[in-house]
Amino acid sequence: MGQFETYEELAKSNKSTTEIVGRYKEQEKAEKFIFPDLLNKLNNLSKEGVSICDIGCGCGSLVDNLIAHAEKKSSSLLLIDSQSMLDRITDKPFINKVSGKFPSNISNVDKKFDVIIVYSVLQCVFLDGNVFNFLDNCVDLLEKGGELLIGDIPNASKKKRFLKTEFGLNLHKKTSTVPVDRLIKDDFNKMALDDSFLLMILSRYRNMGFETYILSQDKDLPFSFTREDILIRKNT
């Protein structure tokens, strides 16, 4: 079973929405900081009447806040995820839902977007399929001046650096039974997203004419010590 199918089944369970979208139950309070962080990073998201697309939107706090914000700003919203995940999300006149696995499910999407959000999804794409096919299809959906935020990317290199600090080591001992030596080995792990892969994303889309940036996560976010965001902006 792939990552998409795993989350599709999770959405049918009785677990909390925090657990369904891949976080720990005790991180529920930290989820409230995610949407304000997106507002700080996506200039277009604060504008009136923009078109927004959330790919792998999940359910729960983040998408609920996005819906409330879109309604307040008179913006349109396209949500893409499995049907079982979308069934957990309220219906509104300004919301369109497309079920299925991106990008094979977007043949009928004929518009461009001012904002595209891909939050805590890239690691699933990395394990399941072709990251660059996925991202190429994302940037193809951007309007001129549009912004794509690839958020909450686990970075194995960043995690190793964090675990080599006193604070990181102590936090790890409190929250995990995995020996830290196993996590900070300097050998290359081809199954992990790392600095080299994130920098390759930046380089690829700069060469295609986009502006790209690595953004740090606010310390209050659920996985801020080991994750980063990438912003891709289409020039006007």
Side-chain angles (χ1 to χ4, degrees):
M1 183 184 293
Q3 295 291 300
F4 179 85
E5 292 77 18
T6 297
Y7 284 99
E8 184 178 31
E9 289 303 309
L10 268 175
K12 300 174 185 177
S13 72
N14 293 322
K15 291 181 178 292
S16 69
T17 56
T18 300
E19 294 170 293
I20 287 172
V21 297
R23 300 183 188 97
Y24 300 112
K25 192 173 182 179
E26 54 269 24
Q27 292 175 316
E28 182 177 355
K29 291 182 179 180
E31 287 183 314
K32 68 181 180 182
F33 298 107
I34 297 175
F35 187 71
D37 189 61
L38 296 190
L39 280 174
N40 286 333
K41 291 171 176 173
L42 290 163
N43 293 332
N44 290 345
L45 194 55
S46 296
K47 297 178 181 178
E48 299 280 342
V50 296
S51 54
I52 306 167
C53 176
D54 191 337
I55 301 170
C57 60
C59 60
S61 172
L62 177 55
V63 71
D64 289 346
N65 284 324
L66 180 61
I67 290 170
H69 178 80
E71 186 167 27
K72 180 181 177 181
K73 293 290 185 178
S74 301
S75 295
S76 63
L77 182 57
L78 175 64
L79 302 177
I80 300 176
D81 213 313
S82 66
Q83 188 60 55
S84 57
M85 200 70 79
L86 295 175
D87 286 342
R88 285 179 162 266
I89 300 171
T90 186
D91 292 315
K92 299 269 187 177
F94 60 90
I95 299 175
N96 288 318
K97 298 178 180 179
V98 173
S99 64
K101 192 173 183 178
F102 184 90
S104 60
N105 61 340
I106 59 166
S107 58
N108 294 323
V109 176
D110 58 358
K111 67 180 294 183
K112 303 292 185 181
F113 296 91
D114 301 299
V115 175
I116 299 176
I117 298 168
V118 179
Y119 200 87
S120 204
V121 169
L122 195 69
Q123 61 268 34
C124 299
V125 179
F126 180 76
L127 292 172
D128 268 2
N130 186 322
V131 167
F132 291 114
N133 178 56
F134 179 94
L135 293 178
D136 285 354
N137 278 276
C138 288
V139 299
D140 282 346
L141 291 175
L142 282 175
E143 185 63 83
K144 288 183 179 179
E147 299 169 322
L148 163 65
L149 185 76
I150 311 161
D152 207 36
I153 306 168
N155 181 341
S157 305
K158 182 176 175 64
K159 185 170 186 175
K160 285 181 182 180
R161 291 192 293 272
F162 177 64
L163 291 175
K164 288 178 181 179
T165 68
E166 183 179 356
F167 176 72
L169 181 59
N170 289 335
L171 182 62
H172 177 78
K173 288 178 178 178
K174 291 178 183 178
T175 58
S176 177
T177 58
V178 179
V180 72
D181 291 346
R182 189 189 306 174
L183 299 175
I184 62 174
K185 289 190 300 183
D186 290 328
D187 57 323
F188 179 72
N189 182 358
K190 66 180 181 180
M191 294 306 294
L193 291 161
D194 60 6
D195 282 345
S196 65
F197 202 93
L198 269 63
L199 291 171
M200 187 163 51
I201 292 173
L202 264 63
S203 178
R204 176 181 178 84
Y205 294 102
R206 287 183 181 182
N207 287 332
M208 291 171 63
F210 297 87
E211 302 299 334
T212 65
Y213 312 89
I214 288 182
L215 305 178
S216 63
Q217 290 205 339
D218 186 274
K219 62 180 178 59
D220 293 321
L221 297 184
F223 292 107
S224 61
F225 298 114
T226 59
R227 299 194 180 190
E228 295 175 296
D229 302 340
I230 290 177
L231 177 65
I232 298 178
R233 183 177 292 122
K234 185 173 182 177
N235 288 314
T236 56

